[in-house]
Amino acid sequence: MDHFLYRDGILHAEDVPLPEIAAEVGTPFYVYSAATLTRHYRLFEEALRGLPHLVCYAMKANSNLAVLKLLGDLGAGMDVVSGGEYARARAAGVPGERIVFSGVGKTREEMRLALECGIRQINVESEPELLALSGVAASMGLRAPVALRVNPDVDAKTHAKIATGKAENKFGIPIARAPAIYAEAAALPGIEVVGIDVHIGSQLTDLAPFEAAYRKVADLAQALLAAGHPIRRLDLGGGLGIPYVRDNAAPPLPLEWGEVIRRTVGHLGLEVEIEPGRLIAGNAGLLVASVIWLKRGEGRDFLILDAAMNDLVRPAMYDAWHDIVPVIEPAPGAERAPFDVVGPVCETGDTFARGRLLPPLAEGALVAFRSAGAYGAVMASEYNSRPLVPEVLVRGHDMAVIRRRPTFDEMLNRDTIPEWL
Ligand code: LLP
């Protein structure tokens, strides 16, 4: 189900024609569909129905306050990885008891902030972090609710830059060492052990690595419970992939992932937390851009857009594929020709696609990148002093700018020239 469809030959976000948004905010811009965000969140709720659970949206995928408010109002918890994300979750109205704090390098300041303002659980990834957290919590007269993130040494079979579950990755505590560290945690004054955490990577399109990891976690949970540790939750991370390439076989559905969860840990009767990000936000967003020039090159033609790698870095960073579609539907049978689709940034890496087959597109034509709602706007920068790309949320006929494009003055005013220069 997709809420970005052609109607009368014009691509819409729900009931709003994209050219209307372009006329109002200019290009490039991100646009999100509230209906899609809602639907995707509910898929996870359905997948875990009957199990005690909390879906903690991994807000690193898309942390616009409006997106967080929408999901928080549906009952979502949040998985945060920095003080800034924690502040966003709270600003969007999500209570501390629904916020899980993940990440391999939390600072003492971040620990203090979370403990002071309320936190459901802190996922600890190393011994030094455990000791530091105990110290911070004890100094506040508290015990921090902790799950230890274990590294199950499972190959997630995804892009190397986003695989996290192999022993060689920086994440988590080697699962074989976990019993010893749980014993250590039990003796610390500022720690209250509540669970086990695992996350093996992102954009997984095969359920087998999840199954392997969750089985190891289930065994560990049983061993820890037998040793008297008060394990009551399992945080099983996120990582379920989305279909970026429309014609390929679709990755497994949340329901199928839920079955793996039931099969591997369901019998333990523990509360389950999951941290999906990409699947909730990815296909709920488009990046819309305009064609600046069509440039005939040596043996290849370039479509130069007003969006660039600073607005959507995934192709440059992970060689990621995003479908690129014209906003005005091409006539049936329109001829397609190969284009290198590029942005205006001054490096060759600023290439969205090579030899992509596209219908004829004139200067000024609008194109949309699909599957851009996750890890799009959040990874944008102002490289080449291109103002941060704005974001729009649509719900039915309603649209709202949820982050506007900064003016040049706003961008420049963040810098300071020392008076001694
Ligand atoms: N939990 C933890 C601890 C994570 O590190 C991540 C993602 C998630 C949950 C959510 O995973 P998801 O359900 O979104 O796959 N920038 C990259 C993706 C980085 C993912 C980092 N961690 C990209 O654009 O592909």
Side-chain angles (χ1 to χ4, degrees):
M1 175 75 203
D2 193 327
H3 294 93
F4 300 104
L5 296 173
Y6 290 104
R7 278 196 213 160
D8 301 326
I10 299 171
L11 191 59
H12 283 56
E14 301 194 20
D15 299 324
V16 182
L18 295 181
E20 239 171 58
I21 306 178
E24 191 166 326
V25 302
T27 53
F29 64 86
Y30 280 95
V31 57
Y32 311 126
S33 153
T36 314
L37 288 164
T38 303
R39 194 182 111 75
H40 288 168
Y41 169 74
R42 293 202 167 129
L43 288 178
F44 287 105
E45 280 293 335
E46 274 166 39
L48 298 183
R49 188 176 291 153
L51 287 178
H53 69 270
L54 182 67
V55 178
C56 294
Y57 168 60
M59 62 181 275
K60 61 169 75 70
N62 185 324
S63 55
N64 188 289
L65 287 181
V67 171
L68 302 184
K69 171 84 166 65
L70 184 156
L71 294 170
D73 285 357
L74 293 172
M78 299 284 154
D79 170 53
V80 309
V81 291
S82 68
E85 284 198 350
Y86 180 85
R88 279 184 179 273
R90 295 308 304 263
V94 179
E97 63 262 28
R98 278 199 262 139
I99 302 178
V100 168
F101 204 140
S102 300
V104 73
K106 298 169 212 77
T107 64
R108 286 182 173 79
E109 289 66 41
E110 288 173 326
M111 295 170 184
R112 203 167 291 121
L113 171 72
L115 290 171
E116 208 165 82
C117 303
I119 192 81
R120 173 185 179 82
Q121 169 186 316
I122 301 185
N123 292 338
V124 168
E125 299 216 16
S126 67
E127 262 177 294
E129 187 191 358
L130 185 68
L131 294 173
L133 179 60
S134 177
V136 171
S139 75
M140 299 167 74
L142 299 170
R143 289 168 85 95
V146 160
L148 290 184
R149 176 169 176 180
V150 294
N151 184 323
D153 195 19
V154 165
D155 183 354
K157 300 197 194 105
T158 183
H159 190 285
K161 285 187 186 167
I162 53 176
T164 58
K166 285 288 284 173
E168 72 219 39
N169 301 133
K170 69 179 174 180
F171 299 97
I173 289 163
I175 197 159
R177 293 196 54 217
I181 299 179
Y182 272 94
E184 189 184 339
L188 290 172
I191 300 294
E192 181 205 354
V193 165
V194 297
I196 308 174
D197 170 43
V198 70
H199 170 79
I200 57 173
S202 193
Q203 186 54 21
L204 273 71
T205 53
D206 179 0
L207 291 175
F210 287 118
E211 177 133 13
Y214 297 166
R215 285 203 188 285
K216 290 189 179 191
V217 168
D219 290 347
L220 175 65
Q222 264 164 336
L224 292 175
L225 284 165
H229 295 288
I231 302 295
R232 55 178 203 265
R233 292 180 194 150
L234 300 180
D235 181 340
L236 300 176
L240 195 58
I242 63 171
Y244 280 101
V245 186
R246 298 225 143 197
D247 298 338
N248 285 7
L253 303 171
L255 209 59
E256 299 170 86
W257 189 44
E259 277 159 20
V260 170
I261 292 174
R262 280 169 212 280
R263 197 157 66 225
T264 51
V265 306
H267 60 288
L268 297 171
L270 300 171
E271 187 178 6
V272 169
E273 295 162 339
I274 53 170
E275 302 170 348
R278 190 190 308 265
L279 202 144
I280 291 180
N283 280 330
L286 304 177
L287 171 66
V288 180
S290 302
V291 174
I292 305 184
W293 309 119
L294 210 153
K295 178 170 159 175
R296 305 275 173 209
E298 198 68 50
R300 55 180 63 224
D301 294 334
F302 296 96
L303 199 65
I304 305 177
L305 303 181
D306 63 358
M309 64 188 289
N310 69 297
D311 304 306
L312 177 65
V313 77
R314 302 194 68 260
M317 195 153 171
Y318 314 110
D319 297 315
W321 171 287
H322 286 264
D323 275 346
I324 303 170
V325 295
V327 167
I328 304 300
E329 194 173 20
E335 218 163 281
R336 283 164 203 266
F339 287 96
D340 282 12
V341 183
V342 301
V345 160
C346 301
E347 51 181 288
T348 303
D350 185 24
T351 298
F352 291 117
R354 291 201 170 78
R356 187 68 67 91
L357 287 179
L358 291 168
L361 286 161
E363 280 168 30
L366 296 172
V367 297
F369 291 80
R370 290 195 184 269
S371 312
Y375 305 113
V378 284
M379 294 180 80
S381 75
E382 288 184 340
Y383 185 39
N384 278 212
S385 287
R386 297 166 44 84
L388 212 53
V389 58
E391 297 172 273
V392 172
L393 181 67
V394 165
R395 190 179 64 186
H397 291 278
D398 288 336
M399 70 159 263
V401 178
I402 56 174
R403 178 183 290 172
R404 58 180 186 77
R405 195 188 313 277
T407 63
F408 285 161
D409 275 348
E410 284 168 323
M411 188 166 69
L412 269 47
N413 285 340
R414 292 204 308 264
D415 297 5
T416 308
I417 299 177
E419 52 188 52
W420 41 261
L421 260 193

